[in-house]
Amino acid sequence: DGGITQSPKYLFRKEGQNVTLSCEQNLNHDAMYWYRQDPGQGLRLIYYSQIVNDFQKGDIAEGYSVSREKKESFPLTVTSAQKNPTAFYLCASSILDRVNTGELFFGEGSRLTVL
Amino acid sequence: QQPVQSPQAVILREGEDAVINCSSSKALYSVHWYRQKHGEAPVFLMILLKGGEQKGHEKISASFNEKKQQSSLYLTASQLSYSGTYFCGTETTSGTYKYIFGTGTRLKVLA
């Protein structure tokens, strides 16, 4: 079955440590996204990418980094510079074709807790 | 800046109707609507494009007012399964595929 796989589902980190969240898709989608969701709040865009080896900052990119070396993979690193990293992180992908749907397909999410 | 959704929360009885609004401070090219159940990933409901038609399926439909920079989601004869948080996802510039989500509306349907 095609879909988006995020790992790990739960992650605990000590302050000052970097952590990388994995996102893999086998939908052959060109675009991939990372969103952050805090309790009771909406989704805020961290980074997005439309093509391999290229990505753009979203609204809250500070303290985060990404890479897009392969079409199917878009890992997110939460660095020690991120002041409040405890959150639910969602990865998504989509085709670059609004005529069909352009909908975002989301992974199951990764919940990061900083101790 | 995130689009603002209203109301923030709404409680309905089964069979009642609801309208959720999404207002942007910027001109919109496209609007998506998603529903998220607690602890799950958001699920796509529909997309509306600038200059496009009002969309709908089953008892859920949506409209897109380009001049007012807003979209509305209409839930008719609500069912228990409609409970969740609804988000609009907006694209302000054609071709960027940069989707900014609204603040969310929590909807609870009671039996």
PDB file of all heavy atoms in Angstrom, chain A residues 34-38 41-47 58-60 64 82 84 86-90, chain B residues 2 87 99-102:
ATOM      1  N   TRP A  34       6.680  19.663   6.175  1.00  0.00           N
ATOM      2  CA  TRP A  34       6.716  19.411   7.607  1.00  0.00           C
ATOM      3  C   TRP A  34       5.892  20.483   8.307  1.00  0.00           C
ATOM      4  O   TRP A  34       6.087  21.680   8.083  1.00  0.00           O
ATOM      5  CB  TRP A  34       8.138  19.443   8.146  1.00  0.00           C
ATOM      6  CG  TRP A  34       8.859  18.143   8.023  1.00  0.00           C
ATOM      7  CD1 TRP A  34       9.844  17.814   7.143  1.00  0.00           C
ATOM      8  CD2 TRP A  34       8.656  16.977   8.838  1.00  0.00           C
ATOM      9  NE1 TRP A  34      10.251  16.521   7.347  1.00  0.00           N
ATOM     10  CE2 TRP A  34       9.544  15.987   8.371  1.00  0.00           C
ATOM     11  CE3 TRP A  34       7.811  16.678   9.910  1.00  0.00           C
ATOM     12  CZ2 TRP A  34       9.617  14.711   8.948  1.00  0.00           C
ATOM     13  CZ3 TRP A  34       7.884  15.426  10.486  1.00  0.00           C
ATOM     14  CH2 TRP A  34       8.770  14.452  10.002  1.00  0.00           C
ATOM     15  N   TYR A  35       4.983  20.009   9.162  1.00  0.00           N
ATOM     16  CA  TYR A  35       4.165  20.901   9.976  1.00  0.00           C
ATOM     17  C   TYR A  35       4.364  20.572  11.452  1.00  0.00           C
ATOM     18  O   TYR A  35       4.604  19.429  11.821  1.00  0.00           O
ATOM     19  CB  TYR A  35       2.681  20.752   9.651  1.00  0.00           C
ATOM     20  CG  TYR A  35       2.284  21.303   8.302  1.00  0.00           C
ATOM     21  CD1 TYR A  35       2.285  20.487   7.180  1.00  0.00           C
ATOM     22  CD2 TYR A  35       1.909  22.633   8.156  1.00  0.00           C
ATOM     23  CE1 TYR A  35       1.925  20.988   5.939  1.00  0.00           C
ATOM     24  CE2 TYR A  35       1.549  23.145   6.923  1.00  0.00           C
ATOM     25  CZ  TYR A  35       1.554  22.315   5.824  1.00  0.00           C
ATOM     26  OH  TYR A  35       1.198  22.819   4.596  1.00  0.00           O
ATOM     27  N   ARG A  36       4.189  21.596  12.271  1.00  0.00           N
ATOM     28  CA  ARG A  36       4.226  21.417  13.716  1.00  0.00           C
ATOM     29  C   ARG A  36       2.839  21.724  14.261  1.00  0.00           C
ATOM     30  O   ARG A  36       2.198  22.703  13.839  1.00  0.00           O
ATOM     31  CB  ARG A  36       5.244  22.370  14.320  1.00  0.00           C
ATOM     32  CG  ARG A  36       5.166  22.477  15.835  1.00  0.00           C
ATOM     33  CD  ARG A  36       6.166  23.430  16.387  1.00  0.00           C
ATOM     34  NE  ARG A  36       5.912  23.642  17.812  1.00  0.00           N
ATOM     35  CZ  ARG A  36       6.856  23.793  18.726  1.00  0.00           C
ATOM     36  NH1 ARG A  36       8.143  23.788  18.369  1.00  0.00           N
ATOM     37  NH2 ARG A  36       6.539  23.970  19.997  1.00  0.00           N
ATOM     38  N   GLN A  37       2.372  20.866  15.192  1.00  0.00           N
ATOM     39  CA  GLN A  37       1.068  21.092  15.810  1.00  0.00           C
ATOM     40  C   GLN A  37       1.229  21.089  17.321  1.00  0.00           C
ATOM     41  O   GLN A  37       1.725  20.122  17.902  1.00  0.00           O
ATOM     42  CB  GLN A  37       0.063  20.022  15.380  1.00  0.00           C
ATOM     43  CG  GLN A  37      -1.340  20.297  15.867  1.00  0.00           C
ATOM     44  CD  GLN A  37      -2.359  19.347  15.273  1.00  0.00           C
ATOM     45  OE1 GLN A  37      -2.043  18.211  14.934  1.00  0.00           O
ATOM     46  NE2 GLN A  37      -3.592  19.810  15.119  1.00  0.00           N
ATOM     47  N   ASP A  38       0.813  22.156  17.951  1.00  0.00           N
ATOM     48  CA  ASP A  38       0.811  22.256  19.410  1.00  0.00           C
ATOM     49  C   ASP A  38      -0.607  22.025  19.916  1.00  0.00           C
ATOM     50  O   ASP A  38      -1.579  22.269  19.178  1.00  0.00           O
ATOM     51  CB  ASP A  38       1.343  23.618  19.849  1.00  0.00           C
ATOM     52  CG  ASP A  38       2.817  23.767  19.498  1.00  0.00           C
ATOM     53  OD1 ASP A  38       3.642  23.165  20.215  1.00  0.00           O
ATOM     54  OD2 ASP A  38       3.137  24.449  18.502  1.00  0.00           O
ATOM     55  N   GLN A  41      -3.983  23.770  18.860  1.00  0.00           N
ATOM     56  CA  GLN A  41      -3.650  24.776  17.851  1.00  0.00           C
ATOM     57  C   GLN A  41      -3.626  24.173  16.458  1.00  0.00           C
ATOM     58  O   GLN A  41      -3.704  22.972  16.269  1.00  0.00           O
ATOM     59  CB  GLN A  41      -2.284  25.398  18.177  1.00  0.00           C
ATOM     60  CG  GLN A  41      -2.279  26.153  19.491  1.00  0.00           C
ATOM     61  CD  GLN A  41      -0.995  26.926  19.663  1.00  0.00           C
ATOM     62  OE1 GLN A  41      -0.356  27.344  18.699  1.00  0.00           O
ATOM     63  NE2 GLN A  41      -0.603  27.136  20.904  1.00  0.00           N
ATOM     64  N   GLY A  42      -3.510  25.042  15.497  1.00  0.00           N
ATOM     65  CA  GLY A  42      -3.462  24.613  14.105  1.00  0.00           C
ATOM     66  C   GLY A  42      -2.100  24.077  13.713  1.00  0.00           C
ATOM     67  O   GLY A  42      -1.206  23.914  14.544  1.00  0.00           O
ATOM     68  N   LEU A  43      -1.967  23.784  12.434  1.00  0.00           N
ATOM     69  CA  LEU A  43      -0.711  23.293  11.888  1.00  0.00           C
ATOM     70  C   LEU A  43       0.104  24.485  11.387  1.00  0.00           C
ATOM     71  O   LEU A  43      -0.401  25.305  10.623  1.00  0.00           O
ATOM     72  CB  LEU A  43      -0.964  22.336  10.725  1.00  0.00           C
ATOM     73  CG  LEU A  43      -1.505  20.947  11.043  1.00  0.00           C
ATOM     74  CD1 LEU A  43      -2.947  20.996  11.505  1.00  0.00           C
ATOM     75  CD2 LEU A  43      -1.373  20.050   9.830  1.00  0.00           C
ATOM     76  N   ARG A  44       1.366  24.521  11.790  1.00  0.00           N
ATOM     77  CA  ARG A  44       2.240  25.595  11.328  1.00  0.00           C
ATOM     78  C   ARG A  44       3.343  25.011  10.466  1.00  0.00           C
ATOM     79  O   ARG A  44       3.979  24.030  10.831  1.00  0.00           O
ATOM     80  CB  ARG A  44       2.816  26.371  12.519  1.00  0.00           C
ATOM     81  CG  ARG A  44       1.758  27.185  13.267  1.00  0.00           C
ATOM     82  CD  ARG A  44       2.376  28.003  14.371  1.00  0.00           C
ATOM     83  NE  ARG A  44       2.849  27.174  15.470  1.00  0.00           N
ATOM     84  CZ  ARG A  44       3.636  27.620  16.456  1.00  0.00           C
ATOM     85  NH1 ARG A  44       4.054  28.872  16.452  1.00  0.00           N
ATOM     86  NH2 ARG A  44       3.989  26.804  17.418  1.00  0.00           N
ATOM     87  N   LEU A  45       3.585  25.652   9.319  1.00  0.00           N
ATOM     88  CA  LEU A  45       4.517  25.138   8.326  1.00  0.00           C
ATOM     89  C   LEU A  45       5.962  25.412   8.722  1.00  0.00           C
ATOM     90  O   LEU A  45       6.342  26.564   8.982  1.00  0.00           O
ATOM     91  CB  LEU A  45       4.213  25.771   6.967  1.00  0.00           C
ATOM     92  CG  LEU A  45       5.055  25.331   5.787  1.00  0.00           C
ATOM     93  CD1 LEU A  45       4.866  23.835   5.510  1.00  0.00           C
ATOM     94  CD2 LEU A  45       4.691  26.148   4.543  1.00  0.00           C
ATOM     95  N   ILE A  46       6.780  24.358   8.736  1.00  0.00           N
ATOM     96  CA  ILE A  46       8.188  24.483   9.091  1.00  0.00           C
ATOM     97  C   ILE A  46       9.035  24.610   7.824  1.00  0.00           C
ATOM     98  O   ILE A  46       9.764  25.582   7.633  1.00  0.00           O
ATOM     99  CB  ILE A  46       8.672  23.271   9.918  1.00  0.00           C
ATOM    100  CG1 ILE A  46       7.784  23.065  11.151  1.00  0.00           C
ATOM    101  CG2 ILE A  46      10.123  23.466  10.338  1.00  0.00           C
ATOM    102  CD1 ILE A  46       8.095  21.785  11.912  1.00  0.00           C
ATOM    103  N   TYR A  47       8.982  23.615   6.968  1.00  0.00           N
ATOM    104  CA  TYR A  47       9.701  23.600   5.700  1.00  0.00           C
ATOM    105  C   TYR A  47       8.853  22.864   4.670  1.00  0.00           C
ATOM    106  O   TYR A  47       8.015  22.040   5.007  1.00  0.00           O
ATOM    107  CB  TYR A  47      11.033  22.850   5.831  1.00  0.00           C
ATOM    108  CG  TYR A  47      12.218  23.681   6.249  1.00  0.00           C
ATOM    109  CD1 TYR A  47      12.633  23.699   7.582  1.00  0.00           C
ATOM    110  CD2 TYR A  47      12.941  24.419   5.317  1.00  0.00           C
ATOM    111  CE1 TYR A  47      13.732  24.457   7.970  1.00  0.00           C
ATOM    112  CE2 TYR A  47      14.042  25.174   5.705  1.00  0.00           C
ATOM    113  CZ  TYR A  47      14.432  25.191   7.030  1.00  0.00           C
ATOM    114  OH  TYR A  47      15.518  25.926   7.410  1.00  0.00           O
ATOM    115  N   GLY A  58       9.298  27.611   5.861  1.00  0.00           N
ATOM    116  CA  GLY A  58       7.927  27.974   6.150  1.00  0.00           C
ATOM    117  C   GLY A  58       7.903  29.113   7.149  1.00  0.00           C
ATOM    118  O   GLY A  58       8.854  29.886   7.254  1.00  0.00           O
ATOM    119  N   ASP A  59       6.845  29.182   7.929  1.00  0.00           N
ATOM    120  CA  ASP A  59       6.675  30.303   8.856  1.00  0.00           C
ATOM    121  C   ASP A  59       7.477  30.168  10.141  1.00  0.00           C
ATOM    122  O   ASP A  59       7.731  31.158  10.825  1.00  0.00           O
ATOM    123  CB  ASP A  59       5.190  30.458   9.204  1.00  0.00           C
ATOM    124  CG  ASP A  59       4.362  30.846   7.991  1.00  0.00           C
ATOM    125  OD1 ASP A  59       4.933  31.408   7.038  1.00  0.00           O
ATOM    126  OD2 ASP A  59       3.140  30.578   7.987  1.00  0.00           O
ATOM    127  N   ILE A  60       7.877  28.930  10.492  1.00  0.00           N
ATOM    128  CA  ILE A  60       8.562  28.732  11.775  1.00  0.00           C
ATOM    129  C   ILE A  60       9.803  27.865  11.597  1.00  0.00           C
ATOM    130  O   ILE A  60      10.030  26.908  12.320  1.00  0.00           O
ATOM    131  CB  ILE A  60       7.608  28.105  12.826  1.00  0.00           C
ATOM    132  CG1 ILE A  60       7.038  26.775  12.327  1.00  0.00           C
ATOM    133  CG2 ILE A  60       6.483  29.057  13.189  1.00  0.00           C
ATOM    134  CD1 ILE A  60       6.383  25.946  13.438  1.00  0.00           C
ATOM    135  N   TYR A  64      15.165  24.510  13.073  1.00  0.00           N
ATOM    136  CA  TYR A  64      14.934  23.273  12.335  1.00  0.00           C
ATOM    137  C   TYR A  64      15.802  23.240  11.082  1.00  0.00           C
ATOM    138  O   TYR A  64      16.181  24.285  10.559  1.00  0.00           O
ATOM    139  CB  TYR A  64      13.471  23.155  11.901  1.00  0.00           C
ATOM    140  CG  TYR A  64      12.468  23.129  13.022  1.00  0.00           C
ATOM    141  CD1 TYR A  64      11.802  24.293  13.406  1.00  0.00           C
ATOM    142  CD2 TYR A  64      12.173  21.946  13.692  1.00  0.00           C
ATOM    143  CE1 TYR A  64      10.864  24.282  14.427  1.00  0.00           C
ATOM    144  CE2 TYR A  64      11.242  21.922  14.715  1.00  0.00           C
ATOM    145  CZ  TYR A  64      10.597  23.100  15.077  1.00  0.00           C
ATOM    146  OH  TYR A  64       9.673  23.070  16.090  1.00  0.00           O
ATOM    147  N   GLN A  82      16.225  25.158  18.741  1.00  0.00           N
ATOM    148  CA  GLN A  82      14.762  25.284  18.811  1.00  0.00           C
ATOM    149  C   GLN A  82      14.393  25.389  20.282  1.00  0.00           C
ATOM    150  O   GLN A  82      14.563  24.444  21.056  1.00  0.00           O
ATOM    151  CB  GLN A  82      14.088  24.089  18.147  1.00  0.00           C
ATOM    152  CG  GLN A  82      12.594  23.953  18.392  1.00  0.00           C
ATOM    153  CD  GLN A  82      11.788  25.209  18.104  1.00  0.00           C
ATOM    154  OE1 GLN A  82      11.009  25.683  18.929  1.00  0.00           O
ATOM    155  NE2 GLN A  82      11.983  25.774  16.921  1.00  0.00           N
ATOM    156  N   ASN A  84      11.529  25.637  22.000  1.00  0.00           N
ATOM    157  CA  ASN A  84      10.392  24.916  22.563  1.00  0.00           C
ATOM    158  C   ASN A  84       9.990  23.791  21.614  1.00  0.00           C
ATOM    159  O   ASN A  84       8.965  23.892  20.931  1.00  0.00           O
ATOM    160  CB  ASN A  84       9.226  25.881  22.792  1.00  0.00           C
ATOM    161  CG  ASN A  84       8.065  25.217  23.490  1.00  0.00           C
ATOM    162  OD1 ASN A  84       8.226  24.179  24.129  1.00  0.00           O
ATOM    163  ND2 ASN A  84       6.890  25.780  23.341  1.00  0.00           N
ATOM    164  N   THR A  86       8.977  20.634  22.058  1.00  0.00           N
ATOM    165  CA  THR A  86       7.949  19.656  22.404  1.00  0.00           C
ATOM    166  C   THR A  86       6.684  19.938  21.609  1.00  0.00           C
ATOM    167  O   THR A  86       6.078  21.007  21.750  1.00  0.00           O
ATOM    168  CB  THR A  86       7.641  19.703  23.910  1.00  0.00           C
ATOM    169  OG1 THR A  86       8.790  19.284  24.632  1.00  0.00           O
ATOM    170  CG2 THR A  86       6.471  18.782  24.250  1.00  0.00           C
ATOM    171  N   ALA A  87       6.300  18.978  20.747  1.00  0.00           N
ATOM    172  CA  ALA A  87       5.145  19.178  19.867  1.00  0.00           C
ATOM    173  C   ALA A  87       4.871  17.894  19.105  1.00  0.00           C
ATOM    174  O   ALA A  87       5.616  16.921  19.182  1.00  0.00           O
ATOM    175  CB  ALA A  87       5.396  20.322  18.884  1.00  0.00           C
ATOM    176  N   PHE A  88       3.805  17.926  18.333  1.00  0.00           N
ATOM    177  CA  PHE A  88       3.422  16.852  17.422  1.00  0.00           C
ATOM    178  C   PHE A  88       3.832  17.304  16.024  1.00  0.00           C
ATOM    179  O   PHE A  88       3.460  18.388  15.587  1.00  0.00           O
ATOM    180  CB  PHE A  88       1.911  16.639  17.525  1.00  0.00           C
ATOM    181  CG  PHE A  88       1.378  15.445  16.771  1.00  0.00           C
ATOM    182  CD1 PHE A  88       1.933  14.195  16.967  1.00  0.00           C
ATOM    183  CD2 PHE A  88       0.324  15.579  15.887  1.00  0.00           C
ATOM    184  CE1 PHE A  88       1.431  13.092  16.304  1.00  0.00           C
ATOM    185  CE2 PHE A  88      -0.183  14.492  15.210  1.00  0.00           C
ATOM    186  CZ  PHE A  88       0.375  13.236  15.404  1.00  0.00           C
ATOM    187  N   TYR A  89       4.644  16.482  15.337  1.00  0.00           N
ATOM    188  CA  TYR A  89       5.164  16.853  14.030  1.00  0.00           C
ATOM    189  C   TYR A  89       4.514  15.987  12.955  1.00  0.00           C
ATOM    190  O   TYR A  89       4.523  14.753  13.035  1.00  0.00           O
ATOM    191  CB  TYR A  89       6.688  16.694  13.992  1.00  0.00           C
ATOM    192  CG  TYR A  89       7.385  17.699  14.865  1.00  0.00           C
ATOM    193  CD1 TYR A  89       7.630  17.432  16.207  1.00  0.00           C
ATOM    194  CD2 TYR A  89       7.790  18.933  14.351  1.00  0.00           C
ATOM    195  CE1 TYR A  89       8.240  18.370  17.026  1.00  0.00           C
ATOM    196  CE2 TYR A  89       8.406  19.872  15.161  1.00  0.00           C
ATOM    197  CZ  TYR A  89       8.631  19.587  16.499  1.00  0.00           C
ATOM    198  OH  TYR A  89       9.239  20.512  17.294  1.00  0.00           O
ATOM    199  N   LEU A  90       4.001  16.651  11.930  1.00  0.00           N
ATOM    200  CA  LEU A  90       3.325  15.959  10.843  1.00  0.00           C
ATOM    201  C   LEU A  90       4.060  16.193   9.535  1.00  0.00           C
ATOM    202  O   LEU A  90       4.393  17.319   9.186  1.00  0.00           O
ATOM    203  CB  LEU A  90       1.892  16.456  10.693  1.00  0.00           C
ATOM    204  CG  LEU A  90       0.883  15.939  11.721  1.00  0.00           C
ATOM    205  CD1 LEU A  90      -0.346  16.821  11.755  1.00  0.00           C
ATOM    206  CD2 LEU A  90       0.506  14.505  11.425  1.00  0.00           C
TER     207      LEU A  90
ATOM    208  N   GLN B   2      -1.462  33.142   9.958  1.00  0.00           N
ATOM    209  CA  GLN B   2      -2.430  32.084   9.773  1.00  0.00           C
ATOM    210  C   GLN B   2      -3.809  32.632   9.471  1.00  0.00           C
ATOM    211  O   GLN B   2      -4.239  33.624  10.055  1.00  0.00           O
ATOM    212  CB  GLN B   2      -2.551  31.255  11.058  1.00  0.00           C
ATOM    213  CG  GLN B   2      -1.459  30.251  11.282  1.00  0.00           C
ATOM    214  CD  GLN B   2      -1.722  29.449  12.548  1.00  0.00           C
ATOM    215  OE1 GLN B   2      -1.576  29.940  13.654  1.00  0.00           O
ATOM    216  NE2 GLN B   2      -2.107  28.203  12.366  1.00  0.00           N
ATOM    217  N   PHE B  87      -9.783  22.081   9.698  1.00  0.00           N
ATOM    218  CA  PHE B  87      -8.769  23.063   9.316  1.00  0.00           C
ATOM    219  C   PHE B  87      -8.948  23.463   7.861  1.00  0.00           C
ATOM    220  O   PHE B  87      -9.217  22.609   7.010  1.00  0.00           O
ATOM    221  CB  PHE B  87      -7.356  22.491   9.466  1.00  0.00           C
ATOM    222  CG  PHE B  87      -6.949  22.193  10.873  1.00  0.00           C
ATOM    223  CD1 PHE B  87      -6.960  20.887  11.356  1.00  0.00           C
ATOM    224  CD2 PHE B  87      -6.541  23.208  11.720  1.00  0.00           C
ATOM    225  CE1 PHE B  87      -6.568  20.607  12.655  1.00  0.00           C
ATOM    226  CE2 PHE B  87      -6.155  22.934  13.023  1.00  0.00           C
ATOM    227  CZ  PHE B  87      -6.174  21.635  13.487  1.00  0.00           C
ATOM    228  N   TYR B  99       1.184  25.666   1.574  1.00  0.00           N
ATOM    229  CA  TYR B  99      -0.115  25.625   2.226  1.00  0.00           C
ATOM    230  C   TYR B  99       0.006  26.041   3.683  1.00  0.00           C
ATOM    231  O   TYR B  99       0.707  25.404   4.473  1.00  0.00           O
ATOM    232  CB  TYR B  99      -0.713  24.227   2.122  1.00  0.00           C
ATOM    233  CG  TYR B  99      -0.965  23.814   0.687  1.00  0.00           C
ATOM    234  CD1 TYR B  99      -0.185  22.850   0.073  1.00  0.00           C
ATOM    235  CD2 TYR B  99      -1.977  24.411  -0.056  1.00  0.00           C
ATOM    236  CE1 TYR B  99      -0.403  22.487  -1.243  1.00  0.00           C
ATOM    237  CE2 TYR B  99      -2.201  24.061  -1.375  1.00  0.00           C
ATOM    238  CZ  TYR B  99      -1.408  23.091  -1.958  1.00  0.00           C
ATOM    239  OH  TYR B  99      -1.621  22.740  -3.267  1.00  0.00           O
ATOM    240  N   ILE B 100      -0.709  27.108   4.028  1.00  0.00           N
ATOM    241  CA  ILE B 100      -0.749  27.615   5.394  1.00  0.00           C
ATOM    242  C   ILE B 100      -2.115  27.257   5.977  1.00  0.00           C
ATOM    243  O   ILE B 100      -3.146  27.560   5.364  1.00  0.00           O
ATOM    244  CB  ILE B 100      -0.548  29.139   5.438  1.00  0.00           C
ATOM    245  CG1 ILE B 100       0.769  29.510   4.752  1.00  0.00           C
ATOM    246  CG2 ILE B 100      -0.575  29.643   6.875  1.00  0.00           C
ATOM    247  CD1 ILE B 100       1.999  28.924   5.398  1.00  0.00           C
ATOM    248  N   PHE B 101      -2.102  26.647   7.139  1.00  0.00           N
ATOM    249  CA  PHE B 101      -3.352  26.185   7.727  1.00  0.00           C
ATOM    250  C   PHE B 101      -3.942  27.205   8.694  1.00  0.00           C
ATOM    251  O   PHE B 101      -3.230  27.976   9.328  1.00  0.00           O
ATOM    252  CB  PHE B 101      -3.137  24.857   8.447  1.00  0.00           C
ATOM    253  CG  PHE B 101      -3.099  23.686   7.510  1.00  0.00           C
ATOM    254  CD1 PHE B 101      -1.958  23.406   6.780  1.00  0.00           C
ATOM    255  CD2 PHE B 101      -4.214  22.894   7.334  1.00  0.00           C
ATOM    256  CE1 PHE B 101      -1.927  22.351   5.889  1.00  0.00           C
ATOM    257  CE2 PHE B 101      -4.200  21.829   6.443  1.00  0.00           C
ATOM    258  CZ  PHE B 101      -3.053  21.555   5.724  1.00  0.00           C
ATOM    259  N   GLY B 102      -5.260  27.168   8.795  1.00  0.00           N
ATOM    260  CA  GLY B 102      -5.977  28.046   9.703  1.00  0.00           C
ATOM    261  C   GLY B 102      -5.841  27.592  11.145  1.00  0.00           C
ATOM    262  O   GLY B 102      -5.216  26.583  11.457  1.00  0.00           O
TER     263      GLY B 102
END
